[in-house]
Amino acid sequence: MEPDASQTGPGTGWAPVRWTGHDVRTEVVLLHGHRVSVRVGGTSGPVLLLLHGLLGSGASFGPALDELARTHRVVAPDLLGHGASAKPTGDYSLGSLATLVRDLLVVLGVDSATVVGHSLGGGVAMQLAYQFPTTVDRLVLVGSGGLGRTVSPALRAVALPGAEWVLPAVFNPYAARAAARLLRPLQRLTPPALAQVVAGLATLADAEARAAFVQTARSVIDVRGQRVSATDRLYLAASLPLLLVWGGRDPVIPVAHADALHQLLPGSRLVVFEGAGHFPQVEEPGRFAGVVADFVATTTAPADRAAAWAAALRAGSVPAGQLPLGAADSTTA
């Protein structure tokens, strides 16, 4: 980002994000030596941080991003390994991605935001709320991972041994060009959700993107399904306003995961787009933007999120001296 003399002090080399207009624009931030592409829009209103899913980018929120920028300030980064951001070899776990997002907010001058996470981005959003509770005002989970084992067989296949050697045979520059020629006449007829899938798969023609995809997928998925779950710690978010948005026909992560979480946290809101699949934000962007905007307008972030988080942790834990007989595991016995 270009330094803004009016917002930087002596010796500083960065500038907070400038909310200059409703139109969403793309900025590039150098973070820990890596380029991070981030879409920014809006001039006023609460800040919305939108986190995309596996093989996605900030563009994965489609027209809903532009709609939300009319009444909110929006930040939609391409997570490392995705979109136009750098794709280094390294740690693509949820904890690492959540830390990266926290660092990005600091660089942009954003203290806290309503965090909207889709699919993998939902897992990152929950991890962010767990690691850095003061950064999250509200939580919106959209077809989110991290809430149960079930996930589509296609994603489980990435965890199979040798998948990284099979992918280049299917996804390579030659195949990408051939597919583009074949699909170009059908672009206007392609449903928005399918277009998202096609765009994501097209990125796998790049070797660095393929490697990052495999590393990211394997950090959260094994051959039996999702290997990371937030359900044992969601009680920590009981005081945090929570909205669940799901497609009733989601073939990737079933809506049953949302139903179970809604029952676990009765103060949460659940909105099911009955006719939508895994991308309700692009299948019904106007409705999606309206649901998120209404949620933000009608809820209030906890006054002291750090204190609420700590109180919930203490209430949900048992001091070591009060453990019942046999409760200690073999590592502490």
Side-chain angles (χ1 to χ4, degrees):
M1 297 177 65
E2 292 295 329
D4 184 342
S6 67
Q7 297 183 358
T8 55
T12 61
W14 62 273
V17 64
R18 290 165 291 175
W19 311 104
T20 58
H22 298 309
D23 292 337
V24 176
R25 67 187 189 278
T26 300
E27 299 271 12
V28 175
V29 176
L30 193 64
L31 194 59
H32 306 309
H34 303 300
R35 290 170 60 87
V36 177
S37 179
V38 54
R39 288 168 175 79
V40 177
T43 58
S44 60
V47 178
L48 301 180
L49 171 66
L50 299 102
L51 304 176
H52 62 79
L54 195 62
L55 286 180
S57 69
S60 299
F61 286 91
L65 186 61
D66 298 295
E67 186 67 26
L68 288 167
R70 299 178 187 277
T71 50
H72 302 75
R73 293 170 289 166
V74 299
V75 176
D78 295 358
L79 298 172
L80 276 190
H82 295 76
S85 290
K87 301 168 181 64
T89 299
D91 184 2
Y92 285 96
S93 66
L94 294 180
S96 179
L97 292 174
T99 300
L100 177 88
V101 169
R102 188 280 311 267
D103 293 351
L104 176 64
L105 291 179
V106 171
V107 170
L108 295 179
V110 176
D111 294 326
S112 62
T114 294
V115 185
V116 182
H118 172 242
S119 199
L120 171 74
V124 177
M126 287 186 285
Q127 190 70 26
L128 184 69
Y130 173 61
Q131 292 181 198
F132 311 107
T134 60
T135 64
V136 182
D137 295 329
R138 303 168 188 81
L139 198 56
V140 181
L141 302 179
V142 186
S144 176
L147 298 173
R149 264 289 190 182
T150 310
V151 72
S152 68
L155 287 177
R156 293 204 306 269
V158 180
L160 292 171
E164 61 269 42
W165 304 107
V166 175
L167 286 173
V170 180
F171 303 102
N172 54 68
Y174 307 104
R177 286 194 291 269
R181 287 194 298 270
L182 179 65
L183 295 174
R184 191 172 295 116
L186 304 176
Q187 284 181 345
R188 292 184 179 181
L189 303 176
T190 304
L194 180 57
Q196 288 288 329
V197 174
V198 171
L201 293 175
T203 66
L204 295 179
D206 175 76
E208 289 185 341
R210 277 198 309 273
F213 165 66
V214 171
Q215 292 176 58
T216 307
R218 287 179 174 173
S219 73
V220 293
I221 297 169
D222 60 26
V223 293
R224 295 178 297 170
Q226 296 186 65
R227 58 189 295 265
V228 177
S229 175
T231 54
D232 64 336
R233 303 184 191 191
L234 282 172
Y235 71 93
L236 296 171
S239 65
L240 195 65
L242 172 63
L243 169 66
L244 307 170
V245 180
W246 233 268
R249 299 180 179 179
D250 192 331
V252 179
I253 301 175
V255 69
H257 289 196
D259 292 331
L261 179 56
H262 184 49
Q263 293 179 16
L264 183 66
L265 297 175
S268 62
R269 298 185 190 180
L270 171 60
V271 179
V272 178
F273 290 21
E274 294 294 348
H278 191 54
F279 296 89
Q281 73 272 30
V282 297
E283 294 175 78
E284 299 185 51
R287 181 184 178 191
F288 177 82
V291 166
V292 172
D294 176 72
F295 172 68
V296 172
T298 56
T299 55
T300 303
D304 191 337
R305 292 181 289 285
W309 183 93
L313 179 60
R314 295 188 188 103
S317 304
V318 178
Q322 299 177 24
L323 284 174
L325 186 64
D329 64 23
S330 59
T331 63
T332 58

